[in-house]
Amino acid sequence: MSTIARHLGKGFGYSCQAWLAIDIADRYFGSIYRAWFATSLNPQLNGSSSNPLVLFQELDRIVHTNDFHHSRIDQLRVRLTNWIAGSSLSAPDVANILSEIASAPVAAFRPQLWKLDLSNIHVSRLVSLGQFPDEYQVRDLIPAEIRVIVP
Amino acid sequence: MSPEHVQLLALIALRALADYDPVEFRRSTDLSKREIDERIDRMLATTDMVGVDEETHEIRARVEELRSVEREAESQVELSFLLRQLSTSSLQRAHQLALRYRRSAGPRSREPRQETAPAISVLKSSRAVSEVEYLRLAVMRLLRELPEYVPVFEYRWRNRFIDCFLDPGVTGFPPILIEGKKQIGSVEEAKRVVSQLKQAASGWGRDSFTVVITTSVSASVEQLWPELSRQTHLLIFDPETNEFAQGGEKFLAAVRIKSAGRG
């Protein structure tokens, strides 16, 4: 009983990621991604920020309309900042990334949809976030474990 | 103004988040509240932070405010409200100073990321892990150290299937062929697996690597392996700990050496 798939009884996880988060992970964290996921694409009982499909649609529309002041963009800036603040990066790197987050255009938050094969991931790497019924996190995904289904 | 000021403000915001929104805090970081407090205290004690500049005063005042709110708030509602205000304002100030820092500072070279060596555990007795499952976990574990490769499971080559082919793409790295055998209990079994792999690898020439991944081998197989095959690496994977108990480091070193030679 070693994989997430066995423990959750579900084969796949779905996640929506903003391009800026992926890019920061590529440049500063050796392409190791910290990603939440749900085991269905449209989990009805999750909040909209934890529903991959809803979040994708929302971000897609925000980017297309260049809605700079949308609260979702502000929320993502805060989340990215908190992630960087709690990382092991040096102070100069933190400062540089925070300035990047603060000044990023709306297009930098364009969404990607990921599919994770949960039978490839050891259960010890699973974190249950607990806020919504179908929301989990893996903090050290590598590119081989991710399939980008909507780039 | 220094980048440490930016980092401290962001840490203060994160620390406040830990109390008013624990779920979001867990989503953001692996650090505990205590670890963040220690980081803040350590940074405040460094030389740069004992100066008299405006930003240092401000940060010390925010830290004091954080601690006094936690001590003196009379209800959870009051605590959450005040901490949220502090977190938001600290974050905004961090962004402001970061933008100022970037405008004033020249380009900086990024410090190398600290790599932690994976722990190699002692092999435990086998559990009911399916044949496919342990191999996938083992391959994914390898790929953490070999991000240049793309895995293809059940790779068809001519008239046979290879359990896993690690495709180096256009990187110029050597291809890697992997056969999985959950348990190898006898020398005859070992010979069969090695033979299958050698036949499959014949099309790739001397540059490719051949690997057998297993979760346990008999003592005789382990002892005789160098005689059974000088070229094929034997990796023993522990699916409980998700680490290689044996052979992993040596194999990875061999791949890097060969890759460096080709580069």
Side-chain angles (χ1 to χ4, degrees):
Chain A
M1 300 288 277
S2 301
T3 66
I4 295 177
R6 276 182 176 267
H7 275 251
L8 297 185
K10 297 286 176 74
F12 299 98
Y14 300 89
S15 181
C16 178
Q17 296 293 321
W19 174 86
L20 185 59
I22 299 166
D23 190 62
I24 291 171
D26 286 340
R27 286 183 288 131
Y28 289 91
F29 296 97
S31 296
I32 303 285
Y33 307 104
R34 185 185 185 92
W36 65 273
F37 69 90
T39 58
S40 69
L41 187 59
N42 185 18
Q44 299 292 318
L45 298 180
N46 281 13
S48 57
S49 65
S50 302
N51 181 317
L53 181 61
V54 168
L55 186 57
F56 181 88
Q57 289 172 328
E58 195 175 55
L59 282 174
D60 196 45
R61 183 176 46 79
I62 290 169
V63 166
H64 272 94
T65 56
N66 199 32
D67 192 351
F68 190 79
H69 296 293
H70 198 286
S71 59
R72 184 68 71 200
I73 299 296
D74 290 338
Q75 184 192 51
L76 287 175
R77 290 192 206 272
V78 169
R79 276 193 173 172
L80 289 176
T81 302
N82 285 331
W83 164 44
I84 297 303
S87 71
S88 56
L89 295 176
S90 67
D93 280 345
V94 169
N96 281 324
I97 298 172
L98 260 56
S99 76
E100 204 176 322
I101 293 170
S103 57
V106 172
F109 296 92
R110 59 192 181 274
Q112 278 190 6
L113 260 181
W114 288 359
K115 186 176 181 180
L116 316 178
D117 187 339
L118 300 180
S119 62
N120 285 348
I121 306 173
H122 198 273
V123 69
S124 61
R125 296 163 61 201
L126 178 71
V127 175
S128 179
L129 290 172
Q131 184 178 25
F132 295 112
D134 188 9
E135 186 181 17
Y136 308 92
Q137 192 179 53
V138 176
R139 294 167 174 180
D140 54 359
L141 286 170
I142 59 174
E145 292 167 333
I146 298 163
R147 197 171 129 226
V148 180
I149 51 177
V150 183
Chain B
M1 195 268 294
S2 71
E4 283 76 14
H5 289 123
V6 176
Q7 190 173 31
L8 268 167
L9 284 163
L11 280 170
I12 291 167
L14 188 62
R15 179 60 182 84
L17 178 74
D19 279 331
Y20 81 78
D21 195 344
V23 174
E24 187 63 29
F25 175 69
R26 279 183 65 209
R27 189 183 273 129
S28 302
T29 182
D30 297 332
L31 296 177
S32 66
K33 289 196 285 190
R34 183 181 57 79
E35 284 169 324
I36 296 178
D37 285 333
E38 285 172 1
R39 267 202 198 180
I40 291 173
D41 290 338
R42 202 164 47 240
M43 289 184 74
L44 285 173
T46 60
T47 312
D48 288 346
M49 291 294 145
V50 296
V52 294
D53 61 274
E54 185 186 323
E55 283 85 11
T56 305
H57 275 306
E58 178 191 347
I59 286 166
R60 289 188 180 280
R62 283 179 185 267
V63 173
E64 184 48 42
E65 187 183 346
L66 173 69
R67 293 190 175 148
S68 75
V69 165
E70 289 180 330
R71 271 196 312 268
E72 295 163 10
E74 293 185 352
S75 68
Q76 186 60 42
V77 171
E78 181 186 339
L79 179 72
S80 295
F81 176 78
L82 291 173
L83 288 177
R84 188 187 297 269
Q85 300 286 90
L86 179 61
S87 182
T88 303
S89 67
S90 298
L91 214 66
Q92 287 170 347
R93 186 71 173 134
H95 281 156
Q96 186 184 28
L97 290 186
L99 286 167
R100 203 195 297 172
Y101 166 74
R102 197 171 207 191
R103 281 194 283 271
S104 62
R108 285 178 178 258
S109 59
R110 184 158 60 83
E111 292 179 16
R113 199 163 65 88
Q114 296 297 323
E115 297 287 345
T116 54
I120 305 294
S121 64
V122 174
L123 182 66
K124 296 183 176 67
S125 57
S126 65
R127 291 171 57 153
V129 176
S130 76
E131 195 79 34
V132 172
E133 195 175 88
Y134 93 87
L135 182 62
R136 283 179 171 265
L137 289 174
V139 167
M140 291 302 149
R141 184 62 188 87
L142 275 181
L143 289 173
R144 302 183 75 75
E145 313 296 333
L146 301 172
E148 303 82 4
Y149 288 85
V150 174
V152 182
F153 292 95
E154 296 290 309
Y155 182 76
R156 190 186 174 98
W157 173 247
R158 293 175 182 163
N159 61 344
R160 61 178 65 244
F161 283 96
I162 300 169
D163 285 343
C164 182
F165 174 65
L166 295 188
D167 184 353
V170 295
T171 59
F173 283 37
I176 300 173
L177 291 87
I178 300 175
E179 277 292 307
K181 183 76 182 161
K182 200 166 86 175
Q183 290 165 347
I184 306 178
S186 67
V187 172
E188 287 67 36
E189 244 182 308
K191 283 180 180 173
R192 259 198 309 277
V193 173
V194 169
S195 168
Q196 281 169 4
L197 204 45
K198 275 185 179 170
Q199 284 176 29
S202 60
W204 272 278
R206 296 165 62 86
D207 270 354
S208 62
F209 279 96
T210 52
V211 178
V212 173
I213 297 181
T214 182
T215 62
S216 72
V217 295
S218 67
S220 56
V221 169
E222 193 176 345
Q223 194 180 357
L224 291 172
W225 188 268
E227 292 176 30
L228 292 172
S229 173
R230 293 187 189 286
Q231 275 84 38
T232 301
H233 291 259
L234 176 67
L235 273 55
I236 303 176
F237 179 71
D238 184 350
E240 285 191 48
T241 60
N242 205 35
E243 298 290 349
F244 287 100
Q246 201 168 308
E249 283 188 6
K250 186 179 163 195
F251 169 66
L252 290 169
V255 171
R256 289 188 192 111
I257 289 168
K258 191 168 257 190
S259 306
R262 283 159 76 107

